[in-house]
Amino acid sequence: MQKNALSAVISLMTRMKVLVAAFFGTLVYVFISVGFGPEGFWAVSQLEEQKQMITANLQSIQQINDGLKIEFQGLRTDPDVIAAYAKKLGYKKENEKLIRLQGLSSPTEFVPETGTPMILGKINYVPEWLCKISGLCIFCFFMAIFAMQDLRKRLQQKRTVNLYYENTQRAF
C-alpha cells in the first residue's frame, strides 16, 4: 500500500514538473510572439509609423494635385492665364515686340512639382519559428533543471543511507 502511494506521489511530482516546464516554455513563446513576433506590438508600431509617413506624403501629393487642378481649370477657361503660360514658354502676341538682353539665360522649361517618391523600409520582427524554438528551449531548460534537482536529491539520499549504514556498522 505504501509503495503504491509513493509511486503515485512520484508520478504526480513528475507530471507537475513537466507542466511547470511547459508553462514557462509557453509563457516565453507568448511573450516573444506578442511583443516581437510578426503581428506583435513591435511590428504594429513600425506599421503605424509607415502609415503616418504615407498619410503625410499623400496629403502633400493631394495639395499638388489640387494646385494642378486649379491651374488646369485656369488654362481651360481664362485667357490671361493662357497668355501668362505662353509668355513663360517664350510665345508672344502679334503686336508685342521682344527684346533679347545679352547675359540673361533663356527661359527655363516649366516642370510642375510631382511630389517625392517614398521608399518604405522592411518591417522588422522575430519570425514565428524562432518564437516557437525559444519556447521549446525554455521548456528543455526547466526540464534539465528539474532533472538535476532529482539527481541531487537521489545522490543526497544515497549519501544519507551510506552514512547511516556506516554508523550502524561502527556501532556493532
Side-chain angles (χ1 to χ4, degrees), residues 92-112:
K92 65 178 185 87
K93 289 184 181 178
E94 288 181 21
N95 56 0
E96 285 183 331
K97 294 184 181 180
L98 293 178
I99 301 173
R100 294 200 184 238
L101 300 174
Q102 298 239 349
L104 292 178
S105 61
S106 62
T108 58
E109 188 175 322
F110 175 70
V111 179

Side-chain angles (χ1 to χ4, degrees), residues 25-136:
T26 305
L27 184 68
V28 166
Y29 163 72
V30 168
F31 174 74
I32 292 173
S33 182
V34 168
F36 306 101
E39 296 174 5
F41 292 123
W42 187 35
V44 169
S45 69
Q46 292 176 51
L47 287 172
E48 285 294 325
E49 288 175 15
Q50 285 188 358
K51 179 183 173 184
Q52 290 174 356
M53 289 172 45
I54 290 171
T55 303
N57 194 32
L58 180 65
Q59 288 174 350
S60 169
I61 291 172
Q62 188 64 41
Q63 288 174 348
I64 293 170
N65 187 34
D66 292 342
L68 289 174
K69 280 182 182 179
I70 292 170
E71 288 180 28
F72 178 71
Q73 190 64 26
L75 283 171
R76 286 182 57 199
T77 57
D78 192 359
D80 292 332
V81 174
I82 296 171
Y85 271 96
K87 284 182 183 178
K88 278 185 183 178
L89 294 173
Y91 292 101
K92 65 178 185 87
K93 289 184 181 178
E94 288 181 21
N95 56 0
E96 285 183 331
K97 294 184 181 180
L98 293 178
I99 301 173
R100 294 200 184 238
L101 300 174
Q102 298 239 349
L104 292 178
S105 61
S106 62
T108 58
E109 188 175 322
F110 175 70
V111 179
E113 186 181 355
T114 58
T116 56
M118 285 191 65
I119 298 174
L120 298 176
K122 192 174 181 182
I123 301 298
N124 297 319
Y125 59 88
V126 176
E128 185 69 22
W129 64 269
L130 191 59
C131 297
K132 290 177 182 177
I133 286 177
S134 54
L136 185 63

